[in-house]
Amino acid sequence: MSGVGVGLGRQAGGMRLFDAHCHLQDQRISAVAPQLIRTALDSGVQRFAVNGVSEADWHIVKQMGDEYPSIIPCFGLHPWFVAERSPNWHKSLREFLAETPVAAVGEIGLDKGSRGKMIDFTEQIDVLRQQLQLSKELKKPVSIHCVRAYGDLLQIMSSTGPFPEGAILHSYMGSAELVSGFAKLGSYFSFSGFLTSMKPQKAKKILKSVPKDRILIETDAPDGLPTVNSSSLIPIPDVASKGESEDQFTNSAAEETSLSREALNHPANIHNVLSYVATLLEMPEEEVAELSFQNAMRLFSYPGSKISSDG
């Protein structure tokens, strides 16, 4: 990629941002990932935690982490892909993490949503427990997906925790009442554009309940597009013009999200998440940006990480 956008982000207006959870390896945007990374870096995003979701994409995430100093690779088995795991999935995951000391664990989790309901919940729990234990054993932070199963998740984390290296509840949509229980176990709460789909008063109550040293922001790109301030969203490059088949793109997007190309998310849109979170917290954007940046830097400074090696 000729070194384009491989460095760390330049500060935009003095703000430093950290996308705590995204999927730049996703086939819907992978063909234009170099451009999306460069756009985000130029806007002040200095780091991206890129989460693998199955055995099929761990090698792509690893390659991205090797190529871009700004990318923190994460390997995990997402609940949607539990049914198609190989018999050797856990051994393979352990090997990826051993061969990639800079990596964290994720995305793992529980899902009782429309897609998650098709996956045996007992299997989801078993796979989740194994990965939580692995993150503890390896002293790595872990990024957790949860849809309509926060009570189950808290119970499982209580029996396997605490998590001194940190557990990211990504795109947190659980209740404010559950925050203290998760926080006591070592959880961080990451907010994405999905927060804009909630009633503002409920979203505000959740945000206000989270300890300031536990707040993160993310995009969950290519999903999680904010529904507010859409006019200021940075256009996504035309995938078809970058060597990706239009039919291939359209089909994969339709299968996964039913979203049009224009509705796909990317990391530079974290500014919209920041603006919304800052408004609800009644804090300056610069303060929330630096707060969430420092929280993410602390979380991802485990031994062997890129941040740790930066000194």
Side-chain angles (χ1 to χ4, degrees):
M1 298 180 187
S2 305
V4 174
V6 298
L8 300 182
R10 295 197 297 271
Q11 294 183 30
M15 286 199 298
R16 302 182 295 174
L17 292 162
F18 195 128
D19 189 345
H21 187 106
C22 63
H23 301 277
L24 292 170
Q25 85 285 6
D26 189 292
Q27 65 178 343
R28 290 169 287 165
I29 58 172
S30 59
V32 292
Q35 291 86 357
L36 301 185
I37 292 167
R38 181 175 57 202
T39 298
L41 289 168
D42 287 346
S43 79
V45 182
Q46 293 198 358
R47 303 275 183 178
F48 314 80
V50 175
N51 284 255
V53 295
S54 73
E55 293 163 271
D57 72 3
W58 294 342
H59 68 287
I60 305 172
V61 173
K62 178 175 171 55
Q63 182 180 352
M64 284 185 156
D66 290 343
E67 184 158 3
Y68 292 93
S70 53
I71 286 180
I72 296 171
C74 308
F75 308 120
L77 182 58
H78 188 290
W80 288 358
F81 303 99
V82 161
E84 57 199 61
R85 70 192 186 282
S86 75
N88 297 318
W89 74 271
H90 192 270
K91 181 174 180 286
S92 179
L93 176 58
R94 182 183 286 276
E95 288 172 354
F96 265 93
L97 290 165
E99 294 166 4
T100 319
V102 299
V105 179
E107 175 177 1
I108 74 174
L110 296 175
D111 196 308
K112 286 183 174 178
S114 56
R115 184 162 175 177
K117 282 190 293 190
M118 296 185 286
I119 313 296
D120 183 271
F121 197 63
T122 303
E123 286 191 36
Q124 289 189 43
I125 291 173
D126 179 55
V127 169
L128 170 67
R129 283 187 183 277
Q130 290 186 61
Q131 293 181 101
L132 287 175
Q133 292 288 2
L134 185 59
S135 72
K136 283 185 59 110
E137 177 191 334
L138 300 178
K139 294 181 166 52
K140 305 269 193 183
V142 56
S143 191
I144 302 173
H145 163 108
C146 189
V147 174
R148 299 178 187 172
Y150 283 102
D152 300 282
L153 178 62
L154 181 57
Q155 188 174 31
I156 292 165
M157 289 180 68
S158 296
S159 66
T160 54
F163 300 88
E165 279 73 39
I168 304 166
L169 302 184
H170 110 83
S171 286
Y172 186 70
M173 301 279 278
S175 71
E177 288 74 21
L178 290 177
V179 166
S180 63
F182 281 120
K184 287 174 185 174
L185 294 169
S187 298
Y188 287 70
F189 303 81
S190 189
F191 297 97
S192 71
F194 285 115
L195 192 70
T196 64
S197 66
M198 299 179 77
K199 291 182 178 179
Q201 283 306 114
K202 183 178 180 181
K204 184 173 186 174
K205 182 180 179 182
I206 293 169
L207 280 166
K208 293 271 192 177
S209 71
V210 176
K212 295 293 192 294
D213 64 349
R214 296 279 163 171
I215 291 176
L216 304 172
I217 56 173
E218 62 168 90
T219 59
D220 197 23
D223 298 307
L225 188 70
T227 59
V228 295
N229 302 325
S230 57
S231 62
S232 65
L233 295 175
I234 301 167
I236 210 165
D238 186 345
V239 173
S241 69
K242 302 296 181 182
E244 181 91 347
S245 159
E246 181 77 30
D247 290 339
Q248 177 186 344
F249 179 89
T250 304
N251 291 340
S252 65
E255 288 170 7
E256 294 296 326
T257 65
S258 301
L259 292 174
S260 68
R261 176 170 63 230
E262 291 74 23
L264 291 175
N265 198 12
H266 60 109
N269 290 333
I270 198 169
H271 289 274
N272 299 79
V273 179
L274 169 67
S275 176
Y276 191 68
V277 168
T279 298
L280 293 182
L281 285 174
E282 301 168 286
M283 293 171 61
E285 285 187 26
E286 294 78 9
E287 190 175 336
V288 176
E290 186 62 18
L291 178 74
S292 60
F293 180 83
Q294 292 292 348
N295 290 344
M297 291 290 281
R298 182 176 65 255
L299 175 66
F300 286 101
S301 321
Y302 45 88
S305 77
K306 291 183 177 183
I307 294 170
S308 177
S309 63
D310 286 349

